[in-house]
């Protein structure tokens, strides 16, 4: 089930392939740990990846999940630590901008047709820490600059963003992270 869920957010949804080294679920504790998450680039880019994360940890509220028979997912905490983003600049665009455009389209669609965007997810605390971004051009990938991004924290993601379906939660989180890359390199 988890593998199908992740594959749902793959090429058809995010426009990129997603790979996972290891997925560990402790159903009674409600802890999901993803180790070695890699989000590949959209077509046309030469760098190996757009995003790599050492670890993503999700603390699920198991009681609300069971009481709703799986229709409502309550995520107490989502933590992403130790990620690397490769910002590859082409002549007129970049891998980050291309994915943001795909996400923007999906978010706009979710606003007009929310019934198409998955089960209810209530995401509360979010901590995204120790993320570095490397910027280089398609023509000189070995040259570039690396910067550490500001940590991102939400006390209650659902209340702060209004995102409450699985699809829109992922879209808004991913878009926020990628926009922070653009902001960092605009300076």
């Amino acid at each position: 089930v988890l593998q199908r869920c992740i594959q749902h957010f793959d090429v058809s949804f995010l426009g990129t392939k997603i790979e996972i080294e290891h997925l560990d679920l402790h159903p009674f504790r409600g802890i999901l740990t993803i180790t070695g998450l890699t989000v590949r680039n959209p077509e046309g880019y030469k760098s190996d990846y757009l995003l790599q994360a050492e670890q993503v940890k999700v603390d699920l509220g198991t009681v609300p999940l069971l009481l709703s028979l799986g229709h409502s997912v309550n995520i107490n905490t989502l933590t992403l630590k130790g990620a690397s983003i490769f910002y590859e600049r082409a002549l007129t665009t970049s891998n980050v901008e291309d994915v943001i455009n795909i996400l923007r389209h999906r978010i706009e669609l979710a606003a007009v047709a929310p019934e198409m965007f998955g089960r209810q997810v209530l995401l509360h605390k979010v901590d995204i820490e120790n993320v570095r971004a490397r910027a280089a051009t398609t023509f000189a990938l070995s040259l570039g600059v690396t910067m550490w991004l500001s940590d991102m924290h939400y006390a209650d993601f659902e209340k702060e963003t209004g995102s409450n379906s699985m699809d829109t939660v992922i879209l808004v989180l991913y878009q926020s992270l990628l926009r922070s890359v653009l902001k960092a390199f605009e300076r």
Side-chain angles (χ1 to χ4, degrees):
V1 173
L2 289 173
Q3 192 68 30
R4 276 185 279 142
C5 180
I6 291 165
Q7 288 172 342
H8 169 72
F9 295 105
D10 197 277
V11 177
S12 63
F13 192 73
L14 295 176
T16 59
K17 290 187 181 226
I18 297 173
E19 299 167 4
I20 294 172
E21 279 180 30
H22 185 73
L23 190 135
D24 189 28
L25 175 65
H26 295 276
F28 299 110
R29 291 181 23 220
I31 303 292
L32 169 68
T33 305
I34 298 170
T35 307
L37 173 70
T38 300
V39 178
R40 297 289 175 196
N41 270 313
E43 286 290 320
Y45 292 94
K46 296 179 182 177
S47 54
D48 289 340
Y49 63 89
L50 179 108
L51 179 139
Q52 285 186 326
E54 293 171 16
Q55 185 180 76
V56 179
K57 193 171 190 176
V58 180
D59 178 3
L60 298 164
T62 53
V63 173
L65 182 64
L66 293 172
L67 292 176
S68 72
L69 301 175
H71 294 289
S72 180
V73 179
N74 191 349
I75 300 174
N76 300 321
T77 307
L78 182 140
T79 307
L80 183 146
K81 290 189 178 181
S84 174
I85 298 172
F86 200 112
Y87 173 57
E88 184 179 334
R89 185 81 194 150
L91 194 57
T92 60
T93 188
S94 73
N95 58 346
V96 171
E97 291 167 311
D98 287 354
V99 171
I100 285 175
N101 287 333
I102 292 167
L103 298 176
R104 183 180 302 120
H105 173 73
R106 299 276 194 259
I107 291 169
E108 289 168 359
L109 185 59
V112 295
E115 67 280 355
M116 293 175 53
F117 282 83
R119 70 183 70 240
Q120 181 181 22
V121 172
L122 302 175
L123 174 57
H124 301 291
K125 186 177 179 189
V126 175
D127 293 311
I128 299 174
E129 301 172 341
N130 301 324
V131 178
R132 68 185 180 279
R134 177 171 173 75
T137 67
T138 300
F139 311 108
L141 288 179
S142 62
L143 303 175
V145 177
T146 301
M147 296 180 70
W148 287 95
L149 303 180
S150 298
D151 292 346
M152 296 172 61
H153 301 282
Y154 294 90
D156 195 321
F157 185 82
E158 193 264 333
K159 286 182 181 171
E160 293 177 46
T161 66
S163 301
N164 64 359
S165 75
M166 186 174 299
D167 297 5
T168 57
V169 163
I170 289 172
L171 288 172
V172 170
L173 269 175
Y174 194 41
Q175 185 179 47
S176 297
L177 187 58
L178 294 179
R179 281 190 173 159
S180 71
V181 173
L182 292 179
K183 191 174 183 179
F185 288 108
E186 285 177 354
R187 296 180 195 153

